[in-house]
Amino acid sequence: MEFVVNKREFVKALSRVQSVADKRSPMPILTNVLIRAEASGAVHFAATDLLLAVTGTMRADVKKAGSVALPARHIFDTVKALPEGEVTLTVEKNFQARIKGARRRFDLAGAPGEDFPSLPEVGNVPMMSLPAEDIAELIALTSFSMSTDDTRPHLAAALFETHRAMLRMVTTDGHRLSKAERSVSGVQTGSKLLIPAKAIHELRRLVDEARSEKREDGSPAMISLGAASSQGPVFFQRDGMTMSSKLVDAAFPSYEQVIPTSTDRSVRVSRQALLEALRAVSLVSADRTFGVKLSITPGRMVITSENPEIGAGMDEIDATLTGPDVVIGFNSKYVIDVLSSLSCDEVVLDLSGELDPGVVRPEGRTDYIGVIMPMRI
Amino acid sequence: MSGDIESVISNAAKGTLLPVYLIGGDERLLVQRCVDAIRHATVGAGPRGLAEDHFDGKGLSASVLMSAARTLPMMARHRLVIVRGVDQMGTAEQEALIAYFAKPEPRTVLVLVALQLDLRRRIANEAKKNGFLFVAQHPKEGEIGPWITREAARRRLQLDPGAVESLALLVGPDLSLLSDALDRLSLYAYARAITADDVEQCITPVREIAAWDLSDAVTSRNLASGLAVLGRLLAQRQPALPLLAVISRQIYQLAKAKQFLASGEKGSLAAALGAPPSAAQKIAAQAKHWSPQQLARALKILAATDSALKGARRGDERVLEECLIALAGGPGMGELADPRRPRGA
């Protein structure tokens, strides 16, 4: 196998796939990137950890077709270390790869491309096209409340729901829940996909790349999404890139039951003011829990925290309260996560009793809800 | 203290829960059963849900743990927070936990499992003061058989009494190993009663046998157990004469206890025997199964055995086996012809 390609193109293609390779896998082949050159001039890249797979294609001057599996980390580092300009990759007998740029070269030991596991293919899976911007927003609004506990795979995941012209993403870790929605056209009805956290993080990269590339016709960047079935795999595609992931084979909790249907109190505050106050006051939170107390009366919200070993902190911001006074404790980190993910000027906190969940939503909008369980402070 | 663990399990079954448990000890099966019972009572036995958090103590920050413990449960009455390896948390992190003991969140059940519980550590002392400390220990010798019987009944297994004894003898007081042995026996003797032969066939001896196991078997007049213990002791290359000395001492103690109790002398039996009170109590209980005539005969048998071993005409194992048979009431050393003379000579 032999091809010549511009170094930047090569690095870009490798950077997309190398992060997926499982560098600690007991299966050595999974630590590699598969590179397959076709006589037509297409060079395909693939990496997988058997949960996720990413494939990409670039154009090159292919002198001789063939395939090889090369160590993901080493091929990426060595190509990056070559001088700018043309790079030649040649695979000799015994799958020894020579990567050469100008007068600098590296020899890497490879493995037969045929040893690489076969990856899921889109085939006839129906795909729907969604604006990358919307997917990016949904991820930003919800990914922070995914559980990091791998022993609860149904919570270490994000629920992707499509319903009528609505794309919805929901995550929870049992302490807070985030639900975000976007209206999109061309959506299939009634599909529910539970996508593992690792795939969500890779999807974020895919979406960010799509958004960062300016399109010649000025149209918005789009991502295609499709799943063979509710058991998966799910596919995400953009120009020349396909990401597939297994889906979590478990039921997501009935999240509607977590969201309070009615509350006794509603507080409207400036998002930025509350964010700053929480960041400051939580510096002296009690019991190392980031716990802060919100005392809300008509016209003002007092944020306090107290730690017998350090001292106490207090701040006060303007607030518009509908309903009786309330004092409630929260983990400030959870509220800060929600407020940081929003971009609106004002937020509304819907509250009932001091032991009932609180709801944070952007003022005047219904497409986002953050539910946060309180703390007894 | 394993009774404490049993009470945690039974209280949990009734729905009575504490806000904090610090659980440790050598008996891993009981620790696990205790944690399972608490979990079942708190959040149910199904897959892990919204109202439970599990942490590994190694490298765990107190802020993460306290934050979880202080957060009210989502879609449940209680939040369950389990830390495995609380003893591997740093001292400063443990201090935060100790502070939590004083004012725990009432709607959280915090279960701290110590892998190697050190009762001298501050966290153990503070947990004890607050009534949160539970230690699971291996059962005592006399509790092993009843535990096997209870466990077999729980699993609806039928065990012959001999099988219970053999199992206790071969496996010892480690309940995890006993539970595993019952699993294997239930498969081996599927749909029928498990016998001592089944135990012999399936179970590899893992228990360390000591000389006093032999004297216990003799004084409780359990011939099957005595012969099995003897076989294992000799397989461990234990010399015969010291074994006989241990048996002899125990029989002398029985005789002294019998005499002391019959005489109605004032003073303590322990002082008379030169033994700790618990040992004296055990000897007194065993002495009830021996008449003065039986004890006198036993002493003769022991003397004859001593002579036979020193004569070294026959194998030690055979001499000691005959001794045990005779001590259990069968024909033996004392009634036979001169033991120094080889049989058939």
Side-chain angles (χ1 to χ4, degrees):
Chain A
M1 184 180 90
E2 183 177 350
F3 64 82
V4 181
V5 70
N6 180 276
K7 179 203 156 181
R8 286 190 182 187
E9 288 296 311
F10 203 177
V11 169
K12 191 172 158 189
L14 286 171
S15 71
R16 288 169 182 162
V17 295
Q18 65 91 21
S19 63
V20 173
D22 188 350
K23 281 118 192 154
R24 289 192 293 266
S25 173
M27 288 173 67
I29 195 70
L30 297 184
T31 63
N32 291 295
V33 169
L34 173 69
I35 303 174
R36 185 164 55 83
E38 290 178 354
S40 64
V43 178
H44 303 284
F45 295 85
T48 182
D49 62 359
L50 298 182
L51 172 78
L52 266 179
V54 175
T55 59
T57 305
M58 68 173 184
R59 303 300 302 176
D61 178 11
V62 178
K63 311 275 189 200
K64 193 177 171 189
S67 68
V68 67
L70 292 170
R73 170 56 63 192
H74 294 137
I75 179 76
F76 182 58
D77 289 345
T78 51
V79 173
K80 264 202 312 186
L82 290 172
E84 293 300 322
E86 285 195 335
V87 171
T88 304
L89 186 144
T90 315
V91 179
E92 307 288 347
K93 284 179 185 171
N94 299 326
F95 304 96
Q96 192 76 16
R98 172 161 292 180
I99 307 130
K100 192 175 169 198
R103 290 190 291 178
R104 195 173 298 164
R105 76 172 192 217
F106 296 97
D107 292 320
L108 292 179
E114 294 75 32
D115 289 358
F116 207 77
S118 58
L119 302 177
E121 289 180 9
V122 175
N124 296 324
V125 172
M127 304 292 283
M128 55 182 161
S129 197
L130 303 167
E133 199 63 39
D134 285 339
I135 297 181
E137 281 183 18
L138 291 182
I139 293 174
L141 286 167
T142 58
S143 60
F144 57 83
S145 56
M146 272 189 295
S147 172
T148 53
D149 180 358
D150 290 337
T151 64
R152 296 188 292 177
H154 60 307
L155 301 185
L159 178 70
F160 250 74
E161 268 187 328
T162 53
H163 184 63
R164 295 180 183 159
M166 189 71 77
L167 177 64
R168 183 179 297 136
M169 193 167 154
V170 189
T171 62
T172 180
D173 62 2
H175 293 217
R176 63 253 175 95
L177 178 143
S178 308
K179 183 185 88 164
E181 297 171 339
R182 287 292 178 269
S183 296
V184 284
S185 57
V187 159
Q188 296 167 331
T189 54
S191 72
K192 283 188 178 186
L193 307 172
L194 196 50
I195 302 172
K198 188 176 179 189
I200 293 293
H201 297 313
E202 283 301 321
L203 176 60
R204 190 204 309 253
R205 289 188 57 189
L206 191 76
V207 166
D208 287 346
E209 280 174 18
R211 290 163 71 207
S212 65
E213 285 173 7
K214 286 187 180 171
R215 300 170 74 84
E216 288 174 3
D217 59 0
S219 60
M222 303 296 278
I223 297 284
S224 298
L225 181 157
S229 71
S230 59
Q231 278 79 47
V234 62
F235 294 94
F236 296 94
Q237 280 187 319
R238 59 170 288 256
D239 305 335
M241 288 284 294
T242 301
M243 184 187 106
S244 63
S245 170
K246 286 185 179 173
L247 293 173
V248 178
D249 187 17
F252 194 73
S254 307
Y255 66 86
E256 295 90 349
Q257 292 176 30
V258 177
I259 302 169
T261 48
S262 64
T263 51
D264 304 336
R265 303 159 172 90
S266 186
V267 193
R268 185 158 49 84
V269 290
S270 156
R271 182 184 68 87
Q272 195 59 36
L274 179 56
L275 190 56
E276 284 172 15
L278 286 170
R279 280 179 177 151
V281 173
S282 63
L283 291 173
V284 284
S285 60
D287 214 10
R288 298 167 69 178
T289 58
F290 305 106
V292 293
K293 194 187 285 184
L294 310 183
S295 308
I296 308 159
T297 51
R300 68 177 195 156
M301 176 189 284
V302 176
I303 302 115
T304 54
S305 68
E306 203 174 325
N307 185 329
E309 290 172 12
I310 303 172
M314 191 277 275
D315 198 356
E316 185 181 317
I317 61 172
D318 294 334
T320 307
L321 172 66
T322 309
D325 297 358
V326 64
V327 176
I328 189 166
F330 284 114
N331 182 330
S332 59
K333 192 176 172 301
Y334 296 164
V335 187
I336 288 170
D337 282 343
V338 172
L339 296 177
S340 304
S341 73
L342 295 170
S343 54
C344 54
D345 291 335
E346 290 194 316
V347 291
V348 175
L349 270 72
D350 292 322
L351 305 168
S352 289
E354 62 171 326
L355 303 181
D356 298 314
V359 176
V360 185
R361 57 185 170 84
E363 163 67 8
R365 291 177 65 170
T366 57
D367 57 2
Y368 176 79
I369 274 182
V371 179
I372 303 173
M373 297 311 297
M375 271 181 158
R376 207 189 304 258
I377 306 259
Chain B
M1 292 185 68
S2 60
D4 288 339
I5 288 280
E6 298 286 357
S7 71
V8 171
I9 295 171
S10 60
N11 284 337
K14 291 178 213 155
T16 308
L17 292 163
L18 295 174
V20 180
Y21 296 88
L22 173 57
I23 306 169
D26 299 330
E27 191 41 72
R28 308 313 300 172
L29 183 84
L30 279 185
V31 170
Q32 188 53 48
R33 286 193 176 171
C34 186
V35 173
D36 289 346
I38 294 167
R39 179 172 185 262
H40 190 276
T42 313
V43 290
R48 291 179 184 181
L50 291 170
E52 61 184 306
D53 296 283
H54 293 244
F55 298 104
D56 183 352
K58 196 170 185 180
L60 176 63
S61 125
S63 61
V64 171
L65 177 56
M66 289 297 95
S67 172
R70 292 274 182 214
T71 302
L72 288 158
M74 186 180 264
M75 285 174 65
R77 280 187 63 198
H78 289 99
R79 177 175 293 282
L80 175 69
V81 179
I82 298 180
V83 181
R84 285 191 191 277
V86 66
D87 46 321
Q88 296 181 341
M89 289 177 73
T91 311
E93 313 303 307
Q94 289 186 6
E95 283 301 315
L97 272 176
I98 291 167
Y100 180 84
F101 291 171
K103 197 182 168 191
E105 165 54 45
R107 286 184 62 186
T108 292
V109 176
L110 175 62
V111 181
L112 308 167
V113 181
L115 301 179
Q116 289 188 322
L117 183 63
D118 184 346
L119 293 170
R120 296 166 300 177
R121 299 297 294 266
R122 205 167 105 77
I123 190 167
N125 284 323
E126 292 299 319
K128 192 175 179 183
K129 272 186 211 164
N130 287 281
F132 299 151
L133 179 69
F134 300 93
V135 183
Q137 289 176 338
H138 294 315
K140 291 177 185 145
E141 197 58 39
E143 295 168 348
I144 302 174
W147 187 88
I148 295 171
T149 306
R150 275 201 313 277
E151 186 64 14
R154 196 177 72 84
R155 299 176 186 210
R156 297 183 183 173
L157 297 176
Q158 204 184 332
L159 252 75
D160 287 353
V164 175
E165 276 175 26
S166 296
L167 203 49
L169 186 68
L170 295 180
V171 180
D174 187 315
L175 300 187
S176 302
L177 295 178
L178 282 170
S179 173
D180 178 59
L182 283 174
D183 284 342
R184 281 183 281 142
L185 286 167
S186 67
L187 293 171
Y188 184 77
Y190 182 70
R192 65 173 172 81
I194 297 165
T195 65
D197 280 349
D198 294 331
V199 177
E200 188 95 355
Q201 289 288 324
C202 279
I203 306 301
T204 310
V206 289
R207 179 185 186 169
E208 276 288 312
I209 293 286
W212 50 82
D213 289 313
L214 180 61
S215 63
D216 274 352
V218 168
T219 50
S220 58
R221 312 187 76 143
N222 186 336
L223 179 60
S225 171
L227 291 172
V229 171
L230 175 65
R232 289 189 58 198
L233 284 168
L234 293 175
Q236 290 172 18
R237 298 184 181 279
Q238 296 264 8
L241 278 170
L243 292 180
L244 183 67
V246 171
I247 299 171
S248 302
R249 177 179 157 72
Q250 195 70 2
I251 296 289
Y252 277 118
Q253 290 285 68
L254 289 186
K256 276 169 79 178
K258 195 93 189 162
Q259 195 176 22
F260 179 86
L261 294 170
S263 69
E265 280 180 44
K266 289 182 181 175
S268 89
L269 175 63
L273 296 177
S278 60
Q281 212 172 355
K282 188 176 167 187
I283 291 166
Q286 287 171 338
K288 286 180 189 163
H289 301 295
W290 292 75
S291 67
Q293 293 76 19
Q294 284 170 330
L295 284 168
R297 179 174 174 265
L299 292 172
K300 280 186 191 168
I301 292 167
L302 291 168
T305 306
D306 183 56
S307 176
L309 286 173
K310 287 170 183 165
R313 297 277 182 92
R314 290 179 290 142
D316 289 354
E317 185 170 3
R318 189 171 168 189
V319 173
L320 283 174
E321 277 176 0
E322 283 181 7
C323 170
L324 295 189
I325 292 165
L327 287 172
M333 314 297 294
E335 285 84 16
L336 294 175
D338 184 356
R340 281 166 291 191
R341 203 178 66 201
R343 289 272 167 90

